[in-house]
Amino acid sequence: MLMFKGRAQVLVVSASGIARRTKTTSALAASVATTTHSSSAQARMGSAQSRRSLQQKFYENRILDRFTAQEPKKVSLRQLVLFGRQLTEDKLLASANYVRSELPVRLAHRISDFQFLPYIAGTNPHLKTVYDLYWRAFDEFRRFPTVRTLDDNRRFCDNVKKNLLEHSQVIPQLGMGVSECADLVAPDEIDRFMNQMLISRISRRTLAEQHIALSEQFDEDLRQHLNLLPSESFAKLAKAPSGFTTQHTGIVCADCNVAQLVHECALHAAGMYEEAFHLPPGSAPQVLVEGHTDATLMCIPAHFSYIVHELLKNSMSHVMERFAARLESTGSAESENADGPAFPPIRVTICASHSDIVVRVSDQSGGISPQVLPYIWSFTHPLKAKRLHNFHSVHRMEARMDEGDAAVSPLVAFGFGLPMSRIYANYWGGNVNVHSLPGHGVDAYVQLPRLGNAVENISSRRYLVSEDA
């Protein structure tokens, strides 16, 4: 009986265990069923989100394709000048609508370039930042309504100014992105990408800044014409008075004196180095301007000044480096033996023909190393990539001579100035070339069309298409 009872107990226990196992198994089955259902639901949700994401991307690319199918409507400096010389309200509104329709076309082509980057480069956070900036600007401009009144134009100009400010971080972001992709993407591919990005950027800023300048000049003249005080608003003015015109050329100068611009660049570059090295005024290498010193050209002064300023900065930097011992021994720019300045001068020669201006910058810096010379125009040579890392210390850069608060010490090299100078020159149909004289110095040549007849040198072709294709 005991045995039986024991067995019964065992049986009861076993039955109880079986019951518990049965309950546990049922619970597990239910849990698995729930988990499976949940996983299926999540999978369906993920699939739906994926479909929506794909649909959204398909929709966005269909929109983008409409704009990349259009060619940019290029302009020349002469067209910009002539347009502003008899500026009426109707012409100002036409300018606004040209810029409003042209900016998304030019942005679309560059967004397309990003989409064709190798995947590893496209995931770079700095390049993605630029991509997102471009897409937002593209979307804003394509949605902006037709500009029909002066008040519409002021709102449009405010929108353009906002985008210009936001996009002042593009150059540092591109520089950091390229430096991090230098070992991942073919150098030629990155260089073509950067050239397209930067020349297109110049073109968009030219159109935007020109229209803003014309609008501000028009409003200022209109305010004076109506005898409005600075505190009085234009809000009640729907249209300009009949027959009201103004004459302005915006950011374009029809007859810039080349020697004067060179002089301004020389003073600015010298001041930068004297401040950086804690030298008294006048210690930097002297810049001598010779040749056709009365020559003029039609240009955007900010573009020309950037080119010449970068060349003079390079010359001053390397001349001061080569002859630093002289300055250390004398303690000033003038030697105690009255032998003259501590540094040999930099000579700028201006030559003008009927159609072109050529500016030569000659120094005695000792020349460029043969190992470096083949790569001075590249963004991705290992030496350049290391320098591009310095963009981490810069949040904004507009590639102008006077960067303002964004400026950093001239002792910080980016490896960016020389290729950017050539891009500025190429944009208006010119060029920059450098010839090294081993053991002596460097001759840099800037060639630019003089009459303003050349249209913008921009391409809608994807950057991967080589120039020889």
Side-chain angles (χ1 to χ4, degrees), residues 133-321:
L133 282 170
Y134 281 10
W135 186 271
R136 284 200 301 272
F138 164 75
D139 209 36
E140 282 185 30
F141 287 126
R142 77 178 182 85
R143 293 175 184 272
F144 201 95
T146 302
V147 178
R148 302 183 187 280
T149 67
L150 291 176
D151 201 40
D152 288 347
N153 181 56
R154 293 181 194 109
R155 284 195 295 272
F156 176 67
C157 286
D158 288 342
N159 183 271
V160 174
K161 289 176 186 176
K162 175 182 71 72
N163 273 278
L164 287 175
L165 181 61
E166 287 177 352
H167 287 217
S168 61
Q169 62 179 299
V170 163
I171 288 178
Q173 293 292 337
L174 283 174
M176 290 185 286
V178 166
S179 70
E180 293 174 6
C181 294
D183 298 329
L184 305 173
V185 183
D188 290 346
E189 193 172 319
I190 285 291
D191 285 339
R192 284 197 296 273
F193 170 79
M194 284 292 285
N195 276 282
Q196 287 277 51
M197 285 290 146
L198 293 172
I199 204 166
S200 178
R201 178 183 181 276
I202 294 171
S203 79
R204 297 192 305 275
R205 294 186 79 89
T206 295
L207 298 185
E209 291 172 356
Q210 174 70 2
H211 178 69
I212 290 170
L214 289 179
S215 298
E216 291 176 346
Q217 292 160 353
F218 185 90
D219 278 356
E220 180 59 30
D221 287 354
L222 183 58
R223 183 180 290 277
Q224 292 179 8
H225 179 78
L226 298 172
N227 295 318
L228 293 177
L229 296 173
S231 58
E232 293 184 87
S233 171
F234 282 112
K236 296 181 181 179
L237 186 68
K239 287 182 67 66
S242 177
F244 175 78
T245 63
T246 184
Q247 296 189 25
H248 288 288
T249 57
I251 61 173
V252 184
C253 179
D255 54 352
C256 276
N257 182 275
V258 178
Q260 180 62 33
L261 288 176
V262 171
H263 179 67
E264 292 171 4
C265 294
L267 286 177
H268 192 273
M272 289 176 63
Y273 281 106
E274 286 164 0
E275 181 179 353
F277 286 106
H278 307 290
L279 299 174
S283 298
Q286 185 180 8
V287 177
L288 304 178
V289 183
E290 55 194 19
H292 299 160
T293 54
D294 59 346
T296 61
L297 84 160
M298 187 180 291
C299 71
I300 295 176
H303 295 184
F304 183 84
S305 296
Y306 180 86
I307 297 169
V308 175
H309 187 251
E310 284 300 319
L311 296 180
L312 290 175
K313 273 175 55 183
N314 284 345
S315 290
M316 286 187 184
S317 171
H318 291 97
V319 166
M320 293 175 79
E321 182 181 345

